[in-house]
Amino acid sequence: MAAAGRGRGLGVLVRITRMALRHPWQVGFAFVSAVIAAILQLMIPRLLGSAVDQTQTVLAAGARHQDATAALWATALALLGVSVCRGIFTMLQNYFGEAVGHHVGYQLRLACYDKIQRLSFSYHDTIHSGDLITVGMLDLEGVRMFFSTAVVRALLLSVLIGVGAYMLLSTDVTMGLAALSFVPFVAWRSSVTRLRLRATWLKLQERLSVLSRVMEENLGGIRVVRAFAAHAFELAKFQKASQNALGLAHDRVDIRVTNTSMMTFSFFAAMGLVLWIGGSKVIAGEMTVGGLASFLTFMMILQMPVRQLGLMVNAFARASTCGTRLFELLDKEVTIRDAANAKEIEISDGVLRFENVDFAYSRTVNRPALKNISFEACRGETVGIVGPPGSGKTTIAHLIPRFYDVSGGRITLDGQDLRHVTLVSLRRAVAVVQQDAFLFTTTIENNIAYGDPWAKEARIERASESAQLHNYVLDLPAGYTTVVGERGVTLSGGQRQRLSIARTLMLEPTVMIFDDSTAAIDSATEQRIRAEMRQYFASRVTIIVAHRLSSLMHANQILFVENGEIVERGSHDELLARGGRYKALHDLQLPPGEEISPLVPEAKR
Amino acid sequence: MTEGIEVEHLEVGDDGPRPPRAAVGSHRIQEEMFGRVFDRNVINRIWAFVQPYNSQMVIAVVAVLIFTGSQLVIPLIIRYAIDNGMASGAGDYGVLGWSVMLFCLAILVNYAASYVQEVVVGKAAENVLFDIRRAMFAHLQRVSLGFMDKTEVGRLMSRLQGDVNSMQEFLETSVLSVGDIVLLIGIVVAMLWLDFRLGLLTLSVMPVLLFVRIIWLPRARVAFMAAHEANSVTNGALAEAIHGVRAVQGMDRQHVNFTLYDDKANANLRAHLRAAKFAQVMVPIVDSLTGVAMAVVIVVGGTMVLNADLEVGVMVAFLFYIQRFFDPIRSLTMQYSVMQRAMASGQRLIEVLDVNVDVEDAPNATVLGRDMDGSVELRDVTFGYNPGQPVLRKVDFKVEPGETVALVGPTGSGKSSVMALIHRFYDVQEGQVLVGGHDVRQLTQDSLGQQVAMVLQEPYLFTGTVFENIRYNKATASLEDVIKAAKAVGAHDFIAALDDGYETQLGERGGNLSLGQRQLISFARALVADAKILVLDEATANVDSNTELLIQKALIMLLEGRTGLVIAHRLATIRGADKIVVLQNGEIVETGSHSELMAGGGLYSKLYNLNYASFDDIPDEATIASPEART
Ligand SMILES: Nc1ncnc2c1ncn2[C@@H]1O[C@H](COP(=O)(O)OP(=O)(O)OP(=O)(O)O)[C@@H](O)[C@H]1O
Ligand SMILES: Nc1ncnc2c1ncn2[C@@H]1O[C@H](COP(=O)(O)OP(=O)(O)OP(=O)(O)O)[C@@H](O)[C@H]1O
Ligand SMILES: [Mg+2]
Ligand SMILES: [Mg+2]
């Protein structure tokens, strides 16, 4: 982690700064205002010093009273003017600084959202959603704050110290050096601390994300936790993660506070030095009291920025860690995307072909999920897929809309390799009812219309009717505007599946895939769904994955998949006649022994 | 809420109208929570969490006072050095030396105090934060599922994280603001002490500031809260995109969603810019007032010095104080919005801590021992998730010890709900549920949970290894037990084939396994729990019949002496049951063993004879009674 160290951290900061510079007007305003505000601020000690001197000269030289009073008035008015202007420019500096940050934040938000939406399944398989949320929320915030809390502040501080240094040194070299003696120390501390904070921060983020994962999974799986009366176990898990993070959080406080208090101390020490040297000079008559006062006031003015220096270091460290993570996401290559010369898919006969398709998930490259899969289906045909758990049925289904790319062989739709057509047109041509369907926390209506948010009410109701959901919805007090709970918790298993069927029916695809999407629906209802959809099926290729043979026995072609390979294929009757695995499976789903007899003729039909 | 949707429908962006039936981010009731700056209830509750760190707090406050004191003393030392050491013409090295020594002492004290104060406060604040989070988490382990069903995980997470963090910010700054207030008072006193008239004159700018603040406050508050709200709306939409990314890509909603998200992000940007304007407008006002105060000191004080009514050192000290004077005012202004945010957050935290626990152990609850008989009985149970909408009506059946009972019926008929009641996820509205002869409301939930193992309809796995998932909270289970359970459900082979076998890390929700594999693991987990009663809610729905047969065979052994409750759509699963309960539309229509029901010639036998390959293949005529099914 520490090796992620210096170079990369700086690169990230440069990149954030470049993003900020894309708003040249606001950045310009912020910078100019910051410089003006700093210079005005530096004038204050001068004016105060001269006010003090004006009173002193009178005492010393016995000049005319009125002159002195007039001079005082002039100084006072100048001071008032300077203060007002300083306030205005500080406001502008702060406002534009923040505005730049917010604009950068806005763009990063959009970039993040877009990236997350486009990154392929294989990326999302490897990353925990909680970690992504952290990147999109907290890390983005850290990057957003960078401009106002670090860049502008750094500029302000350099101007204050730089111009101040010039002014002081030109007034009195020794005193100036004394007043600025804290600067090298502070600079050294800052860079050391920035790196240490960055390292701690990276580790802390990691532990915090473990903690939030524990909490999130506990709440998401609360039914399991309850079912196993496991709250003590879960609390222990939480406690462990929590203590881990807490220890590091304490370390971070130590580092930060040690740093800030040391900086403040060095600053005060420099002030003591000024007092000593300046005092001696005043006594020796080499300097006026006013001159000393302006030196000291100057230091007073620096006190706040020096305290803020700690914050600035913090902001640098935070931005570089957060930025590293955020840009890692934004730079992630989208593996599934349009090829250079991709064309819209053209559908003519609607023929789907798998040609010797191989596939392995990126995490388990040595254990291919699919081997040498070939089959063909054209419009109006239905392909059934059966096989034991983990045999690769879902994998086949996910290759067709290109959720993953094949590792070998190819898949074509009307002769066009899926990798050579645009993703948008392909996804429009292929619809999947996913096995583990995600329902959105919104109304039933919005859920059904998810794929076609412009749909008219009548169409939504028709889809819902076809999926055998309409009557259930009508019985609800709020009807179609009922909000389903998170991931559909307030629905029964079968209702969830019917809702996800309904929303897929809203689409007009060429290839339609049902991935085990009727497992929780009783066969009577399922048959009715199928009857409703007969028309719909006639104009497209349908792929049905199911364990219940009644769901797919009418298919034109049935594939029996085992260990990623097609081991048997043919129509229901052919497969039964073959007496292989399909037949065995079929027999298991029949009533036992003597009761089979009346059904046999029908089965052999 | 419906109005909310309608409003969204009509929205038209710069780049065309928005689709009528689309939104990103969950449907949420707007959290109109304008926190009061000072809410006694919130303060009291949060204070309870600070109590354990009382001694640290005392140390911190003392340190703050010392720190502030040293801050106050520094200008006084400078004044002393100037007036007594140099101004009078005849310089005095002795006095200067003493002053510098004093100064060094003051800054050492300042250093020590600021270190102690910040470390102690920082750590205590972290501790309090973690304590609050633990209390909330522990409470959420007890709240009823009825609440959890309606509440999104993301919402709770934002409370467990975001709100807890703003509480931390508040705690850290609140000790500092004690310092600010003390500093303010100290400066006022010091100025009045140095020169009463000049002090009074300088302070006369205060009422102006107060007046401005009164006008500014309510508007700024609205702007701040709006920005906060906009943030959580945008973040909610982002979280939804992350969780639902597979559905989004599957239905090609990226473009629509991006447009909608852009609207939200844009609104968020505007809200923040507005809030920034409000926050910054105070800066020139405070600075102008500082200028006025300094001008007053220069003119009036300067004249007084000219008239020898005032020592020049006093004037310098005044000028120092005025500059320091507005710092605490400025940071108190900042503190104000932190405090307000903290109160709103505190309110939300307390809301979580106060969520009603409907399902709670009775005061004298019995512990259900392993020696109970394992019977399960529902007596005239009526139950609904929402009052007035019963999902189960007068459901009455009994499972004798050691029996296996099957629950069948069309989708949505209430089978899963029956299972939930046996485990007391919810309390019945009428009638009672008995396990081992005891009303479940008279049992401790822990012991009930240990005696009833469940395979839920929706398999849920945790991030962690396969082994950890199967063993789950049964700490006493060894690897052998785990393997035995995995073998019983036919999962051993595929687990062994994974790269690291039982030590393979599972992704989120077990995402790197197929659904059937996940189901098998969740089945194995229930077997390892080694409970007297086993409840299987469509435990093999996503598994093929071969595997199911294997499991059936293994279960015959495993269910020896145990009670089983099985929900399934497939005939093979039901065949072995001692009794079959047919549920339709929340009511029991038939009960009996397979042969009894067949002999009775009722609905079951009719269905059975009509059945082709599975129980549920019911032709339309047979299911007219079900409202779910009527077309
Ligand atoms: N948490 C909940 N909140 C509100 N309503 C619910 C909740 N869970 C289920 N319901 C409703 O209660 C009814 C019965 O649901 P239940 O899950 O018991 O059905 P089921 O028989 O298990 O159906 P399936 O075979 O589809 O799983 C359904 O209409 C469902 O919408
Ligand atoms: N995202 C993933 N990353 C790595 N491996 C995976 C992933 N998804 C599935 N696998 C593995 O690939 C194989 C095939 O899985 P697939 O989901 O296609 O099975 P399936 O036939 O659909 O099974 P089921 O009937 O249980 O749904 C399994 O061994 C599974 O563990
Ligand atoms: Mg699958
Ligand atoms: Mg159910």
Side-chain angles (χ1 to χ4, degrees), chain A residues 80-135:
Chain A
L80 182 60
V82 167
S83 295
V84 172
C85 292
R86 183 185 82 128
I88 289 172
F89 283 103
T90 309
M91 171 182 78
L92 292 177
Q93 164 221 321
N94 286 348
Y95 175 75
F96 284 111
E98 276 196 37
V100 169
H102 285 303
H103 278 103
V104 168
Y106 168 70
Q107 272 160 356
L108 284 173
R109 261 180 221 283
L110 293 188
C112 245
Y113 190 85
D114 183 51
K115 193 73 180 193
I116 285 168
Q117 279 200 341
R118 285 190 303 122
L119 278 168
S120 49
F121 279 31
S122 49
Y123 175 77
H124 287 284
D125 285 347
T126 54
I127 190 151
H128 198 280
S129 60
D131 294 352
L132 264 187
I133 292 177
T134 314
V135 172

Coordinates of all heavy atoms in Angstrom, one line a residue, chain A residues 80-135:
Chain A
L80 N -10.5 50.6 7.1 CA -11.8 50.1 6.8 C -12.0 49.7 5.4 O -12.6 48.6 5.1 CB -12.8 51.3 7.1 CG -14.3 51.0 7.0 CD1 -14.7 49.9 8.0 CD2 -15.1 52.2 7.3
G81 N -11.5 50.5 4.5 CA -11.7 50.1 3.1 C -11.0 48.8 2.8 O -11.6 47.9 2.1
V82 N -9.8 48.6 3.3 CA -9.0 47.4 3.0 C -9.8 46.2 3.6 O -9.9 45.1 3.0 CB -7.6 47.5 3.7 CG1 -7.0 46.1 3.7 CG2 -6.8 48.4 2.8
S83 N -10.4 46.4 4.8 CA -11.1 45.3 5.4 C -12.3 44.9 4.6 O -12.6 43.7 4.4 CB -11.6 45.6 6.8 OG -10.5 45.9 7.7
V84 N -13.0 45.9 4.2 CA -14.2 45.6 3.4 C -13.8 44.8 2.1 O -14.4 43.8 1.8 CB -15.0 46.9 3.1 CG1 -16.1 46.6 2.1 CG2 -15.6 47.5 4.3
C85 N -12.8 45.4 1.4 CA -12.4 44.7 0.2 C -11.9 43.3 0.5 O -12.2 42.4 -0.3 CB -11.3 45.5 -0.5 SG -11.9 47.1 -1.1
R86 N -11.2 43.2 1.5 CA -10.6 41.9 1.8 C -11.8 40.9 2.0 O -11.8 39.8 1.5 CB -9.8 41.9 3.1 CG -9.2 40.6 3.4 CD -8.4 40.6 4.7 NE -9.3 40.4 5.8 CZ -9.2 39.5 6.7 NH1 -8.1 38.7 6.7 NH2 -10.0 39.3 7.7
G87 N -12.8 41.4 2.8 CA -14.0 40.5 3.0 C -14.6 40.1 1.7 O -14.9 38.9 1.4
I88 N -14.7 41.1 0.8 CA -15.4 40.8 -0.5 C -14.6 39.8 -1.3 O -15.1 38.8 -1.9 CB -15.6 42.1 -1.3 CG1 -16.7 42.9 -0.6 CG2 -16.1 41.8 -2.7 CD1 -17.0 44.2 -1.1
F89 N -13.3 40.0 -1.3 CA -12.5 39.1 -2.1 C -12.3 37.7 -1.5 O -12.2 36.7 -2.2 CB -11.1 39.8 -2.5 CG -11.2 40.8 -3.5 CD1 -11.2 42.1 -3.3 CD2 -11.4 40.4 -4.9 CE1 -11.3 43.1 -4.3 CE2 -11.5 41.3 -5.9 CZ -11.5 42.7 -5.6
T90 N -12.3 37.7 -0.2 CA -12.3 36.4 0.4 C -13.5 35.6 0.1 O -13.5 34.4 -0.2 CB -12.2 36.5 2.0 OG1 -11.1 37.4 2.3 CG2 -12.0 35.2 2.6
M91 N -14.7 36.4 0.1 CA -15.9 35.7 -0.3 C -15.8 35.2 -1.7 O -16.2 34.0 -1.9 CB -17.1 36.7 -0.1 CG -18.4 36.2 -0.7 SD -19.7 37.4 -0.6 CE -19.3 38.4 -2.0
L92 N -15.3 36.0 -2.6 CA -15.3 35.6 -4.0 C -14.3 34.4 -4.1 O -14.6 33.4 -4.8 CB -14.8 36.7 -4.9 CG -15.8 37.8 -5.0 CD1 -15.2 38.9 -5.9 CD2 -17.1 37.4 -5.6
Q93 N -13.2 34.4 -3.4 CA -12.3 33.3 -3.5 C -12.9 32.0 -3.0 O -12.9 31.0 -3.6 CB -11.1 33.7 -2.6 CG -10.2 32.5 -2.3 CD -9.7 32.7 -0.8 OE1 -9.4 33.7 -0.3 NE2 -9.7 31.5 -0.2
N94 N -13.6 32.1 -1.8 CA -14.2 30.9 -1.3 C -15.3 30.4 -2.2 O -15.4 29.2 -2.4 CB -14.8 31.2 0.1 CG -13.8 31.4 1.2 OD1 -12.6 31.1 1.0 ND2 -14.2 31.9 2.3
Y95 N -16.1 31.4 -2.6 CA -17.2 30.9 -3.4 C -16.8 30.3 -4.7 O -17.2 29.2 -5.1 CB -18.2 32.1 -3.7 CG -19.3 31.7 -4.6 CD1 -20.3 30.9 -4.1 CD2 -19.3 31.9 -6.0 CE1 -21.3 30.4 -5.0 CE2 -20.3 31.5 -6.8 CZ -21.3 30.7 -6.3 OH -22.3 30.2 -7.1
F96 N -15.9 30.9 -5.4 CA -15.5 30.4 -6.7 C -14.7 29.1 -6.5 O -14.8 28.1 -7.2 CB -14.7 31.4 -7.5 CG -15.7 32.4 -8.2 CD1 -15.7 33.7 -7.8 CD2 -16.6 32.0 -9.1 CE1 -16.6 34.6 -8.3 CE2 -17.5 32.9 -9.7 CZ -17.5 34.2 -9.3
G97 N -13.9 29.1 -5.4 CA -13.2 27.8 -5.1 C -14.2 26.7 -4.9 O -14.0 25.6 -5.5
E98 N -15.2 26.9 -4.1 CA -16.2 25.9 -3.9 C -16.9 25.6 -5.2 O -17.2 24.4 -5.5 CB -17.2 26.3 -2.8 CG -16.6 26.0 -1.5 CD -17.7 26.0 -0.4 OE1 -18.8 25.5 -0.7 OE2 -17.4 26.5 0.7
A99 N -17.2 26.6 -5.9 CA -18.0 26.4 -7.2 C -17.2 25.5 -8.1 O -17.8 24.5 -8.7 CB -18.3 27.7 -7.9
V100 N -15.9 25.7 -8.2 CA -15.1 24.9 -9.1 C -15.2 23.4 -8.6 O -15.4 22.5 -9.3 CB -13.6 25.3 -9.1 CG1 -12.8 24.3 -9.8 CG2 -13.5 26.7 -9.8
G101 N -15.1 23.3 -7.3 CA -15.2 21.9 -6.7 C -16.5 21.3 -7.0 O -16.5 20.1 -7.4
H102 N -17.6 22.0 -6.9 CA -18.9 21.4 -7.1 C -19.0 21.1 -8.6 O -19.6 20.1 -8.9 CB -20.0 22.4 -6.7 CG -20.1 22.4 -5.2 ND1 -20.4 21.3 -4.4 CD2 -20.1 23.4 -4.3 CE1 -20.5 21.6 -3.2 NE2 -20.3 22.9 -3.1
H103 N -18.5 21.9 -9.5 CA -18.6 21.6 -10.9 C -17.8 20.3 -11.2 O -18.2 19.5 -11.9 CB -18.1 22.8 -11.8 CG -19.2 23.8 -11.9 ND1 -19.3 25.0 -11.3 CD2 -20.3 23.8 -12.7 CE1 -20.3 25.6 -11.6 NE2 -21.0 24.9 -12.5
V104 N -16.6 20.3 -10.6 CA -15.8 19.1 -10.8 C -16.5 17.9 -10.3 O -16.6 16.8 -10.9 CB -14.4 19.2 -10.1 CG1 -13.7 17.9 -10.1 CG2 -13.6 20.2 -10.8
G105 N -17.1 18.1 -9.1 CA -17.9 17.0 -8.5 C -19.0 16.5 -9.4 O -19.2 15.3 -9.5
Y106 N -19.7 17.5 -9.9 CA -20.8 17.1 -10.8 C -20.3 16.3 -12.0 O -20.9 15.3 -12.3 CB -21.4 18.5 -11.3 CG -22.4 18.4 -12.4 CD1 -23.7 17.8 -12.2 CD2 -22.1 18.9 -13.7 CE1 -24.6 17.7 -13.3 CE2 -23.0 18.8 -14.7 CZ -24.2 18.2 -14.5 OH -25.1 18.1 -15.5
Q107 N -19.2 16.7 -12.6 CA -18.7 16.0 -13.7 C -18.3 14.6 -13.3 O -18.5 13.6 -14.0 CB -17.6 16.7 -14.4 CG -18.2 17.7 -15.4 CD -17.3 18.8 -15.8 OE1 -16.2 18.9 -15.3 NE2 -17.7 19.6 -16.7
L108 N -17.6 14.5 -12.2 CA -17.2 13.2 -11.7 C -18.3 12.3 -11.4 O -18.3 11.1 -11.7 CB -16.3 13.4 -10.5 CG -14.9 13.9 -10.7 CD1 -14.2 14.2 -9.4 CD2 -14.1 12.9 -11.5
R109 N -19.4 12.9 -10.8 CA -20.6 12.1 -10.6 C -21.1 11.4 -11.9 O -21.4 10.3 -11.9 CB -21.7 13.0 -10.0 CG -21.8 12.9 -8.5 CD -22.9 13.9 -8.1 NE -22.6 14.6 -6.9 CZ -22.6 14.1 -5.7 NH1 -23.0 12.8 -5.5 NH2 -22.2 14.8 -4.7
L110 N -21.2 12.3 -12.9 CA -21.8 11.8 -14.1 C -20.8 10.7 -14.7 O -21.3 9.7 -15.2 CB -21.9 12.9 -15.1 CG -23.0 13.9 -14.8 CD1 -23.2 14.9 -16.0 CD2 -24.3 13.3 -14.5
A111 N -19.5 11.0 -14.6 CA -18.6 10.1 -15.2 C -18.7 8.7 -14.5 O -18.6 7.7 -15.1 CB -17.2 10.7 -15.1
C112 N -18.8 8.8 -13.2 CA -18.8 7.6 -12.3 C -20.1 6.8 -12.7 O -20.0 5.6 -12.9 CB -19.0 8.1 -10.9 SG -17.7 7.6 -9.9
Y113 N -21.2 7.5 -12.7 CA -22.5 6.9 -13.0 C -22.4 6.2 -14.3 O -22.8 5.0 -14.5 CB -23.6 7.9 -13.0 CG -25.0 7.3 -13.0 CD1 -25.6 7.0 -11.8 CD2 -25.7 7.2 -14.1 CE1 -26.9 6.5 -11.7 CE2 -27.0 6.7 -14.1 CZ -27.6 6.3 -12.9 OH -28.8 5.8 -12.9
D114 N -21.9 6.9 -15.3 CA -21.9 6.4 -16.6 C -21.0 5.2 -16.7 O -21.3 4.1 -17.3 CB -21.3 7.5 -17.6 CG -21.3 7.0 -19.0 OD1 -22.4 6.5 -19.5 OD2 -20.3 7.1 -19.7
K115 N -19.8 5.3 -16.0 CA -18.9 4.2 -16.0 C -19.5 2.9 -15.4 O -19.4 1.8 -15.9 CB -17.6 4.6 -15.3 CG -16.5 3.7 -15.5 CD -15.9 3.9 -16.9 CE -14.7 3.1 -17.2 NZ -14.1 3.5 -18.4
I116 N -20.1 3.2 -14.3 CA -20.6 2.0 -13.5 C -21.7 1.3 -14.4 O -21.8 0.1 -14.4 CB -21.2 2.5 -12.2 CG1 -20.1 2.8 -11.2 CG2 -22.2 1.5 -11.6 CD1 -20.5 3.5 -10.0
Q117 N -22.5 2.1 -15.1 CA -23.5 1.5 -15.9 C -23.0 0.7 -17.1 O -23.6 -0.2 -17.5 CB -24.4 2.6 -16.5 CG -25.5 3.1 -15.5 CD -26.6 3.8 -16.2 OE1 -26.5 4.2 -17.3 NE2 -27.7 3.9 -15.6
R118 N -21.8 1.2 -17.5 CA -21.3 0.5 -18.7 C -20.3 -0.6 -18.4 O -20.1 -1.5 -19.3 CB -20.6 1.6 -19.6 CG -21.6 2.4 -20.4 CD -21.0 3.3 -21.4 NE -19.9 4.2 -20.8 CZ -18.7 4.2 -21.2 NH1 -18.3 3.4 -22.2 NH2 -17.8 5.0 -20.7
L119 N -19.7 -0.6 -17.3 CA -18.8 -1.7 -17.0 C -19.5 -3.0 -17.0 O -20.6 -3.1 -16.6 CB -18.2 -1.4 -15.6 CG -17.0 -0.5 -15.6 CD1 -16.7 -0.1 -14.1 CD2 -15.8 -1.1 -16.2
S120 N -18.8 -4.0 -17.6 CA -19.5 -5.2 -17.9 C -19.7 -6.1 -16.6 O -19.1 -5.8 -15.5 CB -18.6 -6.0 -18.9 OG -17.3 -6.1 -18.5
F121 N -20.4 -7.1 -16.8 CA -20.8 -8.0 -15.7 C -19.5 -8.5 -15.0 O -19.4 -8.7 -13.8 CB -21.6 -9.2 -16.2 CG -23.0 -8.9 -16.4 CD1 -23.5 -7.7 -16.7 CD2 -24.0 -9.9 -16.2 CE1 -24.8 -7.4 -16.9 CE2 -25.3 -9.7 -16.3 CZ -25.7 -8.4 -16.7
S122 N -18.5 -8.8 -15.8 CA -17.3 -9.5 -15.2 C -16.6 -8.5 -14.2 O -16.1 -8.9 -13.2 CB -16.3 -9.9 -16.3 OG -16.1 -8.9 -17.2
Y123 N -16.7 -7.2 -14.5 CA -16.2 -6.3 -13.5 C -17.0 -6.3 -12.2 O -16.5 -6.4 -11.1 CB -16.2 -4.8 -14.1 CG -15.7 -3.8 -13.0 CD1 -14.4 -3.7 -12.7 CD2 -16.7 -3.0 -12.4 CE1 -14.0 -2.8 -11.7 CE2 -16.3 -2.1 -11.4 CZ -14.9 -2.0 -11.1 OH -14.6 -1.1 -10.2
H124 N -18.3 -6.2 -12.4 CA -19.2 -6.2 -11.3 C -19.2 -7.5 -10.5 O -19.5 -7.5 -9.3 CB -20.6 -5.8 -11.7 CG -20.8 -4.4 -12.1 ND1 -20.9 -3.4 -11.2 CD2 -20.9 -3.8 -13.3 CE1 -21.0 -2.2 -11.8 NE2 -21.0 -2.4 -13.1
D125 N -18.8 -8.5 -11.1 CA -18.7 -9.8 -10.4 C -17.5 -9.7 -9.4 O -17.6 -10.4 -8.4 CB -18.3 -11.0 -11.4 CG -19.5 -11.4 -12.2 OD1 -20.6 -11.0 -11.8 OD2 -19.3 -12.1 -13.2
T126 N -16.5 -8.9 -9.7 CA -15.4 -9.0 -8.8 C -15.4 -7.9 -7.7 O -14.6 -7.9 -6.8 CB -14.1 -8.7 -9.6 OG1 -14.2 -7.5 -10.4 CG2 -13.8 -9.9 -10.6
I127 N -16.3 -7.0 -7.9 CA -16.2 -5.9 -6.9 C -17.5 -5.9 -6.1 O -18.6 -6.1 -6.6 CB -16.0 -4.5 -7.6 CG1 -15.7 -3.4 -6.5 CG2 -17.1 -4.1 -8.4 CD1 -14.8 -2.3 -7.0
H128 N -17.3 -5.6 -4.8 CA -18.5 -5.5 -3.9 C -19.2 -4.2 -4.1 O -18.6 -3.2 -4.2 CB -18.0 -5.7 -2.5 CG -19.1 -6.1 -1.5 ND1 -20.0 -5.2 -1.0 CD2 -19.4 -7.3 -1.0 CE1 -20.8 -5.8 -0.2 NE2 -20.5 -7.1 -0.2
S129 N -20.5 -4.3 -4.2 CA -21.3 -3.1 -4.5 C -21.1 -2.0 -3.4 O -21.0 -0.8 -3.7 CB -22.8 -3.4 -4.6 OG -23.2 -3.9 -3.3
G130 N -20.9 -2.4 -2.1 CA -20.6 -1.5 -1.1 C -19.3 -0.7 -1.4 O -19.3 0.5 -1.1
D131 N -18.3 -1.3 -1.9 CA -17.1 -0.6 -2.2 C -17.3 0.4 -3.3 O -16.7 1.5 -3.3 CB -16.0 -1.6 -2.6 CG -15.6 -2.5 -1.5 OD1 -16.1 -2.3 -0.3 OD2 -14.9 -3.5 -1.7
L132 N -18.1 0.0 -4.3 CA -18.3 0.9 -5.4 C -19.1 2.1 -4.9 O -18.8 3.3 -5.3 CB -19.2 0.2 -6.4 CG -18.5 -0.4 -7.6 CD1 -19.5 -0.9 -8.6 CD2 -17.6 0.6 -8.3
I133 N -20.0 1.9 -4.0 CA -20.8 3.0 -3.4 C -19.8 4.0 -2.7 O -19.9 5.2 -2.8 CB -21.9 2.5 -2.5 CG1 -23.0 1.8 -3.4 CG2 -22.6 3.6 -1.7 CD1 -24.1 1.2 -2.6
T134 N -18.9 3.4 -1.9 CA -18.0 4.2 -1.2 C -17.2 5.1 -2.2 O -16.9 6.3 -1.9 CB -17.0 3.3 -0.4 OG1 -17.7 2.4 0.3 CG2 -16.2 4.2 0.6
V135 N -16.7 4.5 -3.3 CA -16.0 5.2 -4.2 C -16.8 6.4 -4.8 O -16.4 7.5 -4.8 CB -15.5 4.3 -5.4 CG1 -14.9 5.2 -6.5 CG2 -14.5 3.3 -4.9

